[in-house]
Amino acid sequence: MYNEFVQFVRTIYNSSDFIPLHAPYFAGNEKKYLEECIDTTFVSSVGEFVDRFEEITKSYTGSTKAVVCVNGTNALHMAMELVGVKRDDEILTQALTFIATANAISYIPAHPVFLDVDKDTMGLSPVAVENWLKENAEIRHGETFNKKTGRRIKACIPMHTFGFPVHLDELVAVCEKYHIELIEDAAESLGSFYRGRHTGTFGKVGVLSYNGNKTITTGGGGMLLFQDEKLGTYAKHLTTQAKVPHRWEFVHDHIGYNYRMPNINAALGCAQMENLGMILENKRKTAQMYKEYFRDNESIKFFEEPKTSKSNYWLNVVLLSDKNAQTAFLEYTNDHNVMTRPIWELMNRLEMFRNCQTDDLTNTKWFADRVVNIPSGVRV
Ligand SMILES: *Cc1c(COP(=O)(O)O)cnc(C)c1O
């Protein structure tokens, strides 16, 4: 049965070699722009590709401002600083995420609280957030505090898992009700839309990543998305050592960061953005083929985008019937040179986060035992 799947993947990827889960795809102006950087010597922290990459991303996502970062993890760190997260605050997020979300919270250092995801999105559940707040939180003078720990609950960071948008309207509403800042970890969801609007533009700050395995890559890189222009301008200042602009003086007015993406990476980003439409179409077609393939399968279900959303189908997902079936599927496919993998180990099960607060994580655990990612790169 799994053999048939392996053959199917080989057919759609037209390959008898190793098939990776995802791979960068360079088919446009990447080389040309990189050569431009080298020829002009603008490879580092100055250069026109940075501005251009921010402009393109701003207009593609419908943001008011976009600010580059050296990677998605420190873009998340910046996002928290920018909305005023302070030492010892609590941050509501999901256990079902890549480690970067929880790591960035720890840099403040703040405390992650791991709450359950929805069955139809695999992302943070607004109902779980509201239920947890009802039981654990109290509002005092326009701020929300945890009744048990006494700590302030300052922000909420949902993650659009594998590109599937969470229920944003409901999440925005519950965050507003409790005066909690919403930051979207949209690292996996460039090209994903919720009710027609790009993910990462609903919260106060949205974060994108251009790591090598993401939908498009800059080698390494991240982006901050803003609706508030002033906050975006301040983000630029903070990520560039908080230097006061002057022709020759070096004066800084804040503890800043050197988080600006080099021009050479932004050059790759500009070229990649030119092909984003094609890449997304190709990925959507792949998802469609998998969907057809698994349509009548009783024991393996293909995970589809939620009704309110358009997913970028960054990584395709199948759900096996239980943990044993998941292991058997992973073993067979990886033994046969078709790369597949389970979802990340849940954050609350890792040594560093073992003592963090959680809710019952019912859906989270259900997914952990069933999810397998299957090859999702661009078919050439
Ligand atoms: C990729 C990713 C990030 C950012 O990763 P970087 O490698 O630092 O760019 C953050 N959160 C999630 C959920 C991710 O998948």
Side-chain angles (χ1 to χ4, degrees), residues 124-158:
L124 189 62
S125 165
V127 176
V129 170
E130 178 135 42
N131 286 342
W132 188 85
L133 284 167
K134 261 186 205 153
E135 195 179 317
N136 295 283
E138 63 184 4
I139 303 175
R140 297 198 306 256
H141 311 295
E143 290 191 306
T144 294
F145 293 86
N146 185 322
K147 285 187 285 189
K148 290 170 194 153
T149 64
R151 295 175 191 140
R152 184 172 68 155
I153 303 163
K154 182 61 182 173
C156 173
I157 311 185

Side-chain angles (χ1 to χ4, degrees), residues 79-352:
M80 279 179 272
E81 289 252 328
L82 288 162
V83 305
V85 174
K86 295 278 190 291
R87 173 180 287 264
D88 269 344
D89 282 345
E90 291 184 358
I91 313 292
L92 311 182
T93 189
Q94 51 202 70
L96 191 115
T97 185
F98 175 58
I99 188 77
T101 323
N103 275 346
I105 293 169
S106 309
Y107 299 161
I108 293 292
H111 304 270
V113 176
F114 299 115
L115 302 179
D116 208 4
V117 294
D118 278 319
K119 230 23 189 307
D120 62 339
T121 67
M122 254 190 281
L124 189 62
S125 165
V127 176
V129 170
E130 178 135 42
N131 286 342
W132 188 85
L133 284 167
K134 261 186 205 153
E135 195 179 317
N136 295 283
E138 63 184 4
I139 303 175
R140 297 198 306 256
H141 311 295
E143 290 191 306
T144 294
F145 293 86
N146 185 322
K147 285 187 285 189
K148 290 170 194 153
T149 64
R151 295 175 191 140
R152 184 172 68 155
I153 303 163
K154 182 61 182 173
C156 173
I157 311 185
M159 197 278 278
H160 305 296
T161 310
F162 305 132
F164 301 108
V166 303
H167 291 292
L168 279 161
D169 282 346
E170 293 80 0
L171 212 48
V172 166
V174 63
C175 285
E176 268 173 13
K177 186 168 154 190
Y178 283 89
H179 315 286
I180 292 173
E181 303 285 7
L182 182 63
I183 295 169
E184 292 174 74
D185 184 344
E188 304 181 355
S189 66
L190 175 67
S192 294
F193 294 80
Y194 174 83
R195 295 191 196 279
R197 211 169 115 192
H198 199 278
T199 50
T201 64
F202 292 78
K204 196 159 200 178
V205 191
V207 168
L208 303 176
S209 164
Y210 307 101
N211 186 28
N213 66 343
K214 296 283 160 51
T215 299
I216 64 166
T217 185
T218 58
M223 189 77 78
L224 291 157
L225 303 177
F226 300 92
Q227 302 314 303
D228 176 347
E229 172 129 32
K230 257 176 121 175
L231 193 63
T233 304
Y234 185 60
K236 190 70 190 175
H237 186 60
L238 210 57
T239 52
T240 53
Q241 305 280 31
K243 183 180 179 294
V244 182
H246 191 280
R247 280 201 294 158
W248 56 80
E249 282 175 3
F250 275 81
V251 176
H252 306 260
D253 63 3
H254 197 278
I255 301 285
Y257 298 86
N258 181 15
Y259 278 0
R260 181 187 158 114
M261 177 191 284
N263 200 46
I264 201 160
N265 299 89
L268 270 182
C270 290
Q272 289 267 278
M273 281 303 280
E274 292 168 0
N275 280 328
L276 179 60
M278 183 272 284
I279 290 170
L280 290 172
E281 237 173 77
N282 187 298
K283 290 170 76 63
R284 179 158 279 274
K285 185 98 187 291
T286 308
Q288 187 62 35
M289 290 191 283
Y290 280 136
K291 182 183 158 184
E292 280 298 310
Y293 177 79
F294 286 110
R295 200 174 45 185
D296 299 320
N297 197 311
E298 289 299 315
S299 50
I300 307 178
K301 296 286 167 209
F302 180 71
F303 192 84
E304 286 180 64
E305 62 197 352
K307 282 191 198 71
T308 43
S309 302
K310 191 166 180 189
S311 174
N312 62 2
Y313 283 106
W314 170 52
L315 289 186
N316 288 294
V317 175
V318 287
L319 299 170
L320 279 292
S321 44
D322 57 29
K323 180 94 190 155
N324 287 338
Q326 184 196 41
T327 306
F329 184 86
L330 286 165
E331 259 171 18
Y332 189 91
T333 47
N334 284 295
D335 278 351
H336 291 80
N337 262 346
V338 167
M339 185 175 168
T340 60
R341 64 168 203 216
I343 205 159
W344 316 278
E345 179 66 283
L346 301 179
M347 292 303 109
N348 58 301
R349 291 176 180 166
L350 299 177
E351 191 54 41
M352 311 78 82

